[in-house]
Amino acid sequence: MSAVLFIVFVVGLAIGVPIALAMGGAGLLALAIDGNLSLLSVPQRFFDGINSFPLMAVPFFILAADLMTASGITTALLRFAGAMVGHVRGGMGHVNVVTSVMFAGISGSALADAAGPGAIETRMMAKSGYDKAYSAALSAATSVIGPIIPPSIVMVIYALTDSRVTVAGLFLAGVVPGLLMGLALMAMNHYLSVKRGYGTVGTAPGWGVRLRALWRATPVLLMPAIIIAGILTGLFTPTEASAVAVFYALFIGLFVTRTLNARLICRVLLQSGLVTSAALIIVSMASLFAWLLTLLQIPQAIGAAIGGMTTDPVAIMLIVMVFVLLCGLFIDTLPAVIILVPVLAPLSEQFGIHPLHFAMAIVLNLTIGLATPPVGGVLFVMSSVARLRLEELTRAILPLLAALLVVLLAVVLIPSLSTFVPGLFGYAR
């Protein structure tokens, strides 16, 4: 059964079959050929994969992000970021990074960041004299911060897959790594801007301008604060927090920016429904695939193989990260989490690695895969938005990926980067 499962899955990916169908088809065919298990287990596993109260946070966070984007909040974020860092060398690039860091606290999705602020930032950078390919590459790289700074759809899925971590703990664990990603990309942008002559050093705006920009952006910036504060105080669960985020986004769009109307809300609901359907289909298909992996004792085999190489926790982490990075080149983030976590998470317990540290490294690793060829989702989005060939975008993003990999290495080698903030609130004992 295992041979059929992997061969069909790999061949499906190779010929361009959508990841969900490749996983579901491989599982169905493996069960049919084996004949020892009833095929009724297929729809049961599909349903069990999405029959979860915490999973309801996914459609709500997607809807909240789409509503905030439709409300025109990107303009307020761009103005605030421009007032803070737009005057320094490579200013528009820094504005790109800072805006993405702030938008990450709203969207929880790299694709939403790339398609929303990323598209606007790319055009603004190109008009300011930046190379078009570099502008799109920086937007793609900064969008990867979206699933790291809370809220995060990927972290919700991870917490459902590994019961040793909670959504709230993972949200808090992403704060420091997410900020480090922003700083690393700003440092690389400064270096490349100086080297290539992008941007000029301007006059810093007065604090009056900055405070007015902050005031206009405050309703947007409050959203992640409300979500995290509500979860930590026990006012609502992470799932309920996602519903609160939707109502807050509606309030902003209807009464603050006053850009939402009935027609636009209907359009947003349709768009969010399509995105949610695609995500949940992937989750349901991946649950069947992961169940078969467990049934075939693949996790135990891989754990034994890695454990046979070394018993040093740092070496184990490095080996796992290389393996996950290679998987992330070919498998999208959500199915990768559902497939790989049951396989790899037991290693953290076996070798005394803190589950939040291990989880954060896995999530960060897989989200970087969103910006790597050949199946990096944000690369395809930015390639379409900027009307660039994928090859051009790939060459331009390489130094930015190097900066992100440095952050990944730091997170792997320094556990406190992931566990310090959760520890302050009792989530990393």
Side-chain angles (χ1 to χ4, degrees):
M1 184 193 293
S2 58
V4 174
L5 183 70
F6 284 107
I7 290 173
V8 173
F9 176 62
V10 172
V11 171
L13 290 181
I15 63 177
V17 174
I19 181 72
L21 296 181
M23 290 186 296
L28 177 61
L29 192 58
L31 285 172
I33 291 177
D34 181 72
N36 292 322
L37 293 172
S38 171
L39 291 181
L40 289 176
S41 59
V42 174
Q44 289 173 350
R45 289 296 160 183
F46 286 166
F47 180 74
D48 288 344
I50 57 176
N51 183 28
S52 168
F53 176 72
L55 192 61
M56 290 177 63
V58 173
F60 281 120
F61 278 133
I62 291 173
L63 177 56
D66 287 344
L67 285 170
M68 291 295 271
T69 302
S71 299
I73 53 89
T74 304
T75 303
L77 293 180
L78 285 169
R79 286 176 178 170
F80 175 58
M84 299 304 295
V85 296
H87 59 282
V88 300
R89 167 68 72 176
M92 283 307 303
H94 295 319
V95 169
N96 190 329
V97 178
V98 173
T99 302
S100 292
V101 169
M102 292 187 292
F103 193 78
I106 299 168
S107 70
S109 166
L111 296 179
D113 198 333
I120 299 172
E121 293 156 357
T122 299
R123 289 193 291 269
M124 291 178 65
M125 288 181 66
K127 288 180 180 178
S128 299
Y130 290 76
D131 178 74
K132 188 177 181 181
Y134 174 72
S135 302
L138 184 60
S139 296
T142 58
S143 68
V144 173
I145 303 173
I148 304 301
I149 292 180
S152 168
I153 293 171
V154 176
M155 290 179 184
V156 173
I157 302 299
Y158 190 105
L160 290 174
T161 311
D162 184 358
S163 60
R164 296 174 306 150
V165 297
T166 63
V167 174
L170 274 176
F171 278 6
L172 292 172
V175 172
V176 173
L179 295 176
L180 286 177
M181 292 169 74
L183 291 174
L185 289 174
M186 289 180 75
M188 181 58 72
N189 173 67
H190 177 77
Y191 169 76
L192 294 175
S193 296
V194 171
K195 182 179 179 181
R196 301 173 184 177
Y198 293 149
T200 57
V201 179
T203 303
W207 282 105
V209 174
R210 291 179 174 181
L211 289 175
R212 283 194 295 273
L214 174 60
W215 174 253
R216 294 189 182 99
T218 296
V220 184
L221 300 177
L222 281 176
M223 182 172 167
I226 291 171
I227 292 172
I228 297 299
I231 293 173
L232 294 180
T233 58
L235 190 60
F236 38 71
T237 66
T239 304
E240 292 165 345
S242 63
V244 170
V246 170
F247 282 104
Y248 184 77
L250 282 170
F251 175 80
I252 295 297
L254 291 172
F255 302 108
V256 179
T257 63
R258 298 182 180 180
T259 53
L260 288 182
N261 53 49
R263 179 178 296 180
L264 187 55
I265 290 175
C266 289
R267 192 184 309 158
V268 169
L269 287 171
L270 177 60
Q271 175 185 329
S272 300
L274 292 173
V275 174
T276 298
S277 299
L280 293 183
I281 287 172
I282 290 173
V283 170
S284 64
M285 297 287 185
S287 66
L288 170 65
F289 197 88
W291 174 68
L292 288 175
L293 290 180
T294 304
L295 195 67
L296 295 169
Q297 296 189 325
I298 302 298
Q300 293 86 337
I302 293 178
I306 295 177
M309 298 179 188
T310 179
T311 57
D312 179 51
V314 175
I316 293 291
M317 282 287 286
L318 291 173
I319 293 170
V320 169
M321 289 307 109
V322 172
F323 175 70
V324 172
L325 190 62
L326 292 175
C327 290
L329 295 177
F330 304 98
I331 306 176
D332 201 10
T333 306
L334 291 184
V337 167
I338 297 171
I339 294 171
L340 295 178
V341 171
V343 174
L344 300 174
L347 289 171
S348 67
E349 187 172 8
Q350 181 180 347
F351 293 98
I353 302 169
H354 197 287
L356 274 179
H357 174 213
F358 191 84
M360 194 63 249
I362 294 286
V363 170
L364 178 55
N365 198 327
L366 290 175
T367 54
I368 291 175
L370 288 169
T372 59
V375 295
V378 296
L379 289 183
F380 289 105
V381 171
M382 294 313 305
S383 175
S384 175
V385 167
R387 297 182 181 179
L388 287 167
R389 290 186 297 112
L390 192 61
E391 295 81 1
E392 294 179 81
L393 191 54
T394 300
R395 284 194 297 269
I397 205 173
L398 291 178
L400 302 170
L401 287 177
L404 293 176
L405 290 175
V406 169
V407 175
L408 173 62
L409 183 61
V411 169
V412 169
L413 297 179
I414 309 173
S416 59
L417 294 178
S418 304
T419 59
F420 174 72
V421 175
L424 294 177
F425 297 91
Y427 287 95
R429 294 169 183 165

